[in-house]
Amino acid sequence: MLAEVVYDRRAAVSYALKWAFARNTRFYDFSDIGGDCTNFISQCLYAGCGVMNYSQTNGWYYNSADDRSPSWTGVVFLQSFLLGNGGAGVYGEAAELTALETGDVIQLADGGGRFYHSLIVSAMFPPYSPNEIYVCAHSDDAGNRRLSGYGYAAALGIHIIGARREIQL
């Protein structure tokens, strides 16, 4: 059985700001083998919910560099997990960038529509345009960087609705 868990946006953003320019040694740094951006965003999301999904088919978990789900470190796999997760862990919905909140995720795509980078919203200021959204990221380390400072063809906002935990009855 599943129980709802509150997604703590403040904890997720606090983690993002703490580790934006450093690496938590509990997690492998994938910077030299494809990039660390989605690994970092997964860490932030986990800091906000404290729940992983150990499903072997569509899970979201990290035990070690050699024992993790594709969605923990892969941009499109994280997107698929967040937008389709009906089990344990965080879940969300696609949203306009201007409708996002701190602790939500943004994924950037190139001109061919290929998603290549994951970011977490760390701050937003009125009038809530993409020029006033600030993010944290790894691979090109950033802490409270303006989203408008990135070169991208398209961006997908993912609003985190909450999280679920498996409970035994």
Side-chain angles (χ1 to χ4, degrees), residues 3-134:
E4 286 293 318
V5 175
V6 173
Y7 176 62
D8 186 341
R9 295 174 180 284
R10 177 179 260 165
V13 171
S14 178
Y15 185 96
L17 292 169
K18 177 178 181 176
W19 295 103
F21 297 103
R23 300 297 186 267
N24 182 340
T25 57
R26 182 181 180 285
F27 300 93
Y28 186 80
D29 178 2
F30 294 91
S31 296
D32 293 334
I33 54 172
D36 198 53
C37 68
T38 304
N39 175 42
F40 175 63
I41 299 312
S42 287
Q43 292 172 44
C44 297
L45 293 171
Y46 181 68
C49 74
V51 181
M52 293 185 189
N53 179 319
Y54 288 94
S55 168
Q56 293 301 308
T57 54
N58 189 30
W60 175 74
Y61 63 91
Y62 179 96
N63 294 316
S64 70
D66 297 323
D67 184 12
R68 69 185 192 283
S69 65
S71 59
W72 190 271
T73 53
V75 177
V76 295
F77 296 108
L78 177 63
Q79 181 184 118
S80 178
F81 177 80
L82 291 174
L83 297 179
N85 180 27
V90 288
Y91 63 97
E93 64 187 1
E96 296 292 326
L97 296 182
T98 55
L100 296 178
E101 300 175 44
T102 58
D104 285 339
V105 174
I106 297 174
Q107 292 190 318
L108 305 180
D110 62 20
R114 182 186 70 84
F115 286 93
Y116 64 90
H117 197 36
S118 298
L119 316 157
I120 188 166
V121 177
S122 55
M124 296 182 73
F125 300 100
Y128 301 116
S129 72
N131 289 333
E132 301 305 328
I133 295 174
Y134 293 78

